[in-house]
Each structure stands twice: as structure tokens, then as C-alpha cells.
Amino acid sequence: MSDKKERKLTKREQRRKEKFIEKCHLMEKDGYKVENLFFSILLVNILGLLVILPINFLFLAIYYLFNDYTPNDNTYSPYIGLIFIALMLLLIVVHELIHGITWGHFAAEGRKSIEFGVIWQALTPYCTCSSPLTKGEYIKGALMPTIVLGFIPGIIAAITGWVPLLILSQLMILAGAGDVLIVARLLLHRPKNAKVVYLDHPTECGLVAFVKKND
Ligand SMILES: [Zn+2]
């Protein structure tokens, strides 16, 4: 996000941002160059949908490969909508927890590097890691929630033919749009002949790369 439309930061975010800037200065002193790999919220929403919808369709196709098009029973409770909303809210929290557990596992400072928060203006919960990670570590932590809550339930839904699980898995894949987008951006980031570490941006959607050319 550019400076001109920067949202107001909470005290915790402000403190995190200061720590982040400090870290950037330290890395620059050490010969690294900082490259931004983050997106504006608007771009995340548009590009995120473009990268995630084919994956949604893939899992739908897998489901309908093994199941027919008619719902297998009509006995769903009238409260199913409410149950779904409650479950979605819970699963979105679980999604962030899985990011935290996976990144915390790789981070040099462990779980201490992990913080959770909510961007209230966008009603978006998030998890952020204040330790630098390798590309592989960052990608594993970014994709893990979508694998655990989206891909695996999607496969189980295809095997069991259970429609509510199919819907939930589809929604949880959709919820991973931003993560998949960042992973795609990360995979395209291939500086030649350089040492690279990645650091989550404390307040933006995405991360920065520290790149040090090998001489
Ligand atoms: Zn996520």
C-alpha cells in the first residue's frame, strides 16, 4: 500500500513497524538490499481471485468426478446457514493459528516471533512472523492453512460425497486466496547468484526480501 492511503496503525502495529524498520536497517548494514513483495488490499482481492478460482474449480471437478450432481440427502437442518457462518468464523481463526504454528516452528525465535491481530477496517484477522525465513519455510507456513482446511477436506468430501464438507472446503480454499497469491509472487522472485531471506511485512499484505549479491 502506498503512503498516501496508509491506514491508521494500532499501538502494537506501530511498535511492530518500528522493530521491522530497525531490522531492515540492520540487514542493509550487513549488505542486503530490501525489495518489497507486497500488494495493496485491492490488488490482493482481484489477483487473489484470479489465482484461487482455478484451484476451487479443480477441487470441484475432483468432487464431481466421484459424485453425481444431485444432493445426496435433503435432511439438512434449517439452521445450516447459521452453523456455517459460525463455523467459518471459527475456521478463519484456526487458519491464522496454523500460519502461526508453522512459521513459529521455523522461526529462529520460535513462537515469540508470532503475533496475531485484526485489521478492523477490513475485518481481516492476520498472523505475522517477525523472524526472517527462507523461501521454502515461508511458503510452507503460507500454504499450510489452505492445505489443512481446504485441500484435505476437499479430498475427503470427494471420497465421502458429503456436500457440507465440499462447501466448507471450497470456502476455506477461497479464504487462502491472498496466501496463494503471495506464494505465486514468491515463486517468481528468483534473484540470480544471491543470498535471500524473507521477512513478513508487519502491516501490509505480503513480505519483503533481503537480497545480498554473492561476489
Ligand atoms: Zn492466510
Side-chain angles (χ1 to χ4, degrees):
M1 208 184 298
S2 60
D3 284 340
K4 56 184 180 297
K5 52 179 181 179
E6 199 167 331
R7 68 191 165 81
K8 200 165 162 8
L9 301 178
T10 64
K11 272 206 183 97
R12 264 174 67 207
E13 287 175 327
Q14 195 61 46
R15 181 179 51 74
R16 236 168 21 221
K17 192 174 181 177
E18 279 158 19
K19 255 181 78 182
F20 172 80
I21 291 169
E22 204 178 294
K23 181 96 200 166
C24 289
H25 286 157
L26 277 174
M27 295 297 277
E28 276 171 330
K29 257 192 204 152
D30 206 17
Y32 285 89
K33 268 178 70 185
V34 183
E35 291 178 23
N36 286 335
L37 301 181
F38 52 76
F39 301 93
S40 70
I41 298 273
L42 181 70
L43 216 57
V44 168
N45 289 335
I46 297 168
L47 293 178
L49 273 183
L50 286 179
V51 295
I52 206 69
L53 284 181
I55 302 177
N56 273 99
F57 282 123
L58 174 71
F59 277 86
L60 261 185
I62 293 172
Y63 180 89
Y64 284 116
L65 209 64
F66 296 103
N67 300 278
D68 54 36
Y69 287 83
T70 47
N72 44 9
D73 68 65
N74 303 314
T75 57
Y76 297 128
S77 145
Y79 298 113
I80 194 89
L82 283 177
I83 296 169
F84 252 93
I85 293 169
L87 241 154
M88 276 303 291
L89 291 176
L90 180 75
L91 288 180
I92 284 169
V93 174
V94 175
H95 172 120
E96 298 308 323
L97 282 177
I98 297 174
H99 278 312
I101 293 166
T102 323
W103 280 326
H105 171 76
F106 294 124
E109 289 170 70
R111 262 188 243 161
K112 264 196 279 174
S113 324
I114 307 299
E115 272 191 66
F116 299 95
V118 180
I119 302 172
W120 289 108
Q121 292 96 319
L123 272 180
T124 313
Y126 64 87
C127 166
T128 178
C129 177
S130 61
S131 287
L133 299 167
T134 66
K135 186 188 270 190
E137 291 167 347
Y138 194 94
I139 289 177
K140 282 176 202 154
L143 290 185
M144 199 56 83
T146 310
I147 293 171
V148 173
L149 301 175
F151 298 171
I152 294 173
I155 297 292
I156 297 173
I159 295 167
T160 58
W162 199 33
V163 177
L165 191 62
L166 170 70
I167 299 171
L168 262 184
S169 66
Q170 285 283 314
L171 291 172
M172 291 321 291
I173 292 172
L174 211 54
D179 296 325
V180 174
L181 176 66
I182 288 163
V183 168
R185 176 71 188 85
L186 207 47
L187 290 173
L188 292 173
H189 186 253
R190 306 178 158 273
K192 281 203 185 88
N193 214 3
K195 189 174 178 236
V196 193
V197 285
Y198 297 91
L199 181 63
D200 221 8
H201 194 283
T203 55
E204 301 291 352
C205 186
L207 66 165
V208 296
F210 296 115
V211 183
K212 188 173 176 173
K213 292 275 178 223
N214 296 324
D215 24 44

